[in-house]
Amino acid sequence: MELTNHRPRNEEGSPGARAPGGLLWEQIEPPSHQFSPEERVLLYEEALYTVLHRLGKPEPNHVQEASDLLGYLQEAFHVGPEEHQQRLQQVQELQKPIFCLKATVKQAKGILGKDVSGFSDPYCLLGIEQGVGVPAGTPGSQRQQKAVVKHTIPEEQTHRTQVIAQTLNPVWDETFILEFEDISNSSFHLDMWDLDTVESVRQKLGELTDLHGLRRIFKEARKDKGQDDFLGNVVLRLQDLHCREDQWYPLEPCTETYPDRGQCHLQFQLIHKRRATAASRTQPSYTVHLHLLQQFVSHEVTQHQAGSTSWDGSLKIQAATILFLHATQKDLSDFHQSMAQWLAYSRVYQSLEFPSSCLLHPITSIEYQWIQGRLKEEQLEELATSFSSLLAYGLSLIRRFRTVFPLSVSDSPARLQSLLRVLVQMCKMKAFRELCPDSAPLPHLVTEALRNGTVEWFHLKQQHHQPMVQGMLEASKALLSLVQDIVGDLHQCKHTWNKIFHNALKINLFSMAFLKLQWLVAKRVQDHTAAAVSGPVSLEMGESLFQLYISLKELSQLGPVPSERDGVLALEGFHHWFQPAIPSWLQKTYSVALARVQRAVQMDKLMPLGELTKHSTSAVDLSTCFAQISQTAQQLDWPDPEEAFMITVKFVEDTCRLALVYCSLIKARACELAAGQKDQGHAANMLCVVVNDMEQLRLVIGRLPTQLAWEALEQRVGAVLEQGQLQNTLHAQLQGALAGLSHEIRTGVHTLAEQLEVGIAKHIRNLVGVRESILLEDAILPLMKFLEVELCYMNTNLVQENFNSLLTLLWTHTLTVLVEVASSQRSCPLASGRLKIALQNLEICFYAEGCGLPPEALHTATFKALQRDLELQAASSQELIQKYFCARLQQQAETTFEELGAVTVKASYHNSEQKLRVELLSASSLLPLDSNGSSDPFVQLTLEPRHEFPELAPRETQKHKKDLHPLFDETFEFLVPAVSCQKDWACLLLTVLDHDTLGADDLEGEAFLPLCSVHGLNETEPGEVPQTRLPLTYPTLNGDPILQLLESRKGDHEAQVFVKLRRQRAKQAYQHAPQPGQQQWKLGMGLGP
């Protein structure tokens, strides 16, 4: 058999065509067998003879019908029907072979112990009884089994094993060839006996071990001397046996005594002797079997190729059956069968790929049974040739593994693993080492094949990328394609192939391939770049060189780190080869970006991209453009620190310049589109989009430090730059660009704010002019509707940052207008009330439930002052008077110094009588207000505010002459309901006066006692009333805002009376201000320093 090998070429001229099913198709043409017609006739005769003289029961997994086997032979040998019948008739006329049973008595276990010692000296008698046709299971067959060999088989046909002394588990392992004529009426017989020798009674008593042994002595005394003991037998019909049997058989008794007599391990094989075929007479059995296997394999391969399917290395069940029968009949050893399988399959494997298990099985079998002396010289030579041939073929595939096992085919890694597994197991064989002693170690051979294959692959790729037109640009593109292919190949080696070769042979394919390829690439790139940058570099050439630089950098980064290298790589410092091209790269980057920005703005309609994306298309294009600039910088990643810094400076400078150019272009575009629009709303919408675009640009520019890896750059250039140089250069550029963008954004937001400020001011001013009959809610409704519409519009069209800026401007302006209007309406509580409610609603509007300005931005100093002013202005006169007394009570509580003196009182409230009881005990440390250095004090008691206690007249104490520490000890009672005393502003005003006979009384000071804290107010009856000491205070002269506000209400009689009394008290206090501590007193009065 010879399988011709035709390998189709791929587009690169290398093998690599694929057969259906994913296997490499080293195409096999229909086989032209090496057998001559005469040899094929002899081989066909041998196969027919094997089928016709089949012996034994068929194996469970084999074909049973002879017709199926004969039909397969006719198909496998391509024999026509007439020729087949003719050959079959000829074989049937040949003499039958001598049928033999090859019986091997292996061992026995658990046999009876017949000797006195408890053991036996077993041996076996065996033979074939012929001419007995008793069916199995009949009484006659039972009697026949009980018959012993010596009574049923002639002595010359009886075979005997050796005697194994003193054991119950003998091991013989003896083989006998037993001939028979007709398998249908022949039976195999085996008797096992215990050999008995003549011994004296004394000897037997010496072997005695127990009572059973004594019984054996008495039993033997009754039998003839030297008579052997029967241990059991095995009787089998030959027609019940398979071609090969290997089983344990129970030993049967002759009588029913001792039914369990142990087991015997027997092996059977039904074989032929003196086969009448010419091949059997003239050729060794092994050779004939090998040729038969080769014929079947050739047929299987041809069948699968005809059906365009891949062959998995298995034979059809008919072929397997015939080969099994032939090997059995010819008594061919397992070793020779495995060798035949190896020779046949290893040869086919060199032409057609199939699963490696078909080769690994015979390798394992040969290795397990290898004995060099059991093969003839020509067989040894044939086996050695098969080893060398397969090794050479495997190395050729490994040398071309990139094209033979392409990763585009999913099972390529598994196929390569399969090939390596076969080669590794083959080279480990003792047979291989003995028959091929001069072969180098497999790892060395594979490493050399990979190294040579890598160089061949490189030159093949270089030739493939050779440009059709010779020119520097074409050469640059060709070199770029070559480097990209190399990078891709190294990635495959690193992530796929290296693991396979390392696991199988501990070979570092990636390291070897990298070192070889980088050396091959370096010289070609260096020569090319030197010629390319010798003159002016065009933009197109610069782009090609830049791509080449990137690919070369990727290639260099694939290599081992410097600490793991042996010496310097050929690619070390390759970036210096491209240095002259850097200016053209930077210029190309800026030019492309600028053109893209101009084109994006020109096509921009200044419409938001969506509800969530409020900038326009040009902002998106600009972001992409800047991202490409950053990507270019990252790809460049220049190794030299100082030059890398200058390149980054240039990138930042160009990016910032593009940002400012974009601002000018987008504003011009807005003016261009607005020129033909009469709708101001549309113009405002475009202005919002422009502001959003600038805000988006500001965010993009702010990401430059991260995108350009400034932090890593700063670490790299720290040793070569002056301290702060990076900060002063890069950060200064960035801050300048951000400042310019922020100014442009503020300008746009101010423009939008100015359009709204006019409407806000108009509605606020209209608010105070609304008639009094209009409800407050209706009065402020126009202002809130205006803000709702405008702010919703702005929120929809502005990004959040710009909308917040707009809100801040509008809030500041709104507060300014409110302050202005509130100042003009101080004397009008109604208008001030409307402004107060308006301020509250505006605060809610601008806060917008957390979506607008935060509280800290709303509650400015202006807001708080306005809120206080409007709170006062909107209050009625009585409410202002109440606030005044609240303030005085607060002042009283905070006063601790007694520079004006103090009064001591005991106040209590009696709920049962609804009376307020005041005991005025004394005054102390009063100021001397008379010319004689003393005073004539008395105290006036008044319940304030007067409108809360209109029916209670003021009370006075007795006047004390010339006494600065008077003891009054007077009690006053006021009939007043408890509810009036519980208000925060309700108080007892204690006015200490100096009585003057001729003129008005002078003011010593005032003290305020809060009624809500009076003892017993919240109790049924007061207990012991504590004393209260109250420092005296002075009223303010002109600084009290409440008094000023009340004074402005000229038409309010109650307000004017109250202010007049308060001014009078303040004037009295100022006339007699004390000299010592005057500064602190003035501060207490609110008069300032």
Side-chain angles (χ1 to χ4, degrees), residues 128 207 243 430 481 573 639 649 687 801 804 999:
I128 292 182
E207 299 174 359
C243 290
K430 290 180 290 186
S481 299
V649 169
L687 181 57
E801 293 80 2
N804 290 341

Side-chain angles (χ1 to χ4, degrees), residues 104-133:
T104 300
V105 182
K106 300 293 289 184
Q107 59 183 322
K109 62 181 179 181
I111 65 176
L112 297 178
K114 291 289 188 176
D115 293 344
V116 176
S117 61
F119 294 99
S120 294
D121 303 316
Y123 68 93
C124 297
L125 296 177
L126 62 154
I128 292 182
E129 181 183 9
Q130 303 189 58
V132 179

Side-chain angles (χ1 to χ4, degrees), residues 879-893:
E879 290 173 340
L880 288 176
I881 294 173
Q882 293 167 1
K883 291 180 183 293
Y884 173 82
F885 283 108
C886 285
R888 293 306 302 270
L889 287 171
Q890 182 67 28
Q891 179 189 2
Q892 182 70 58

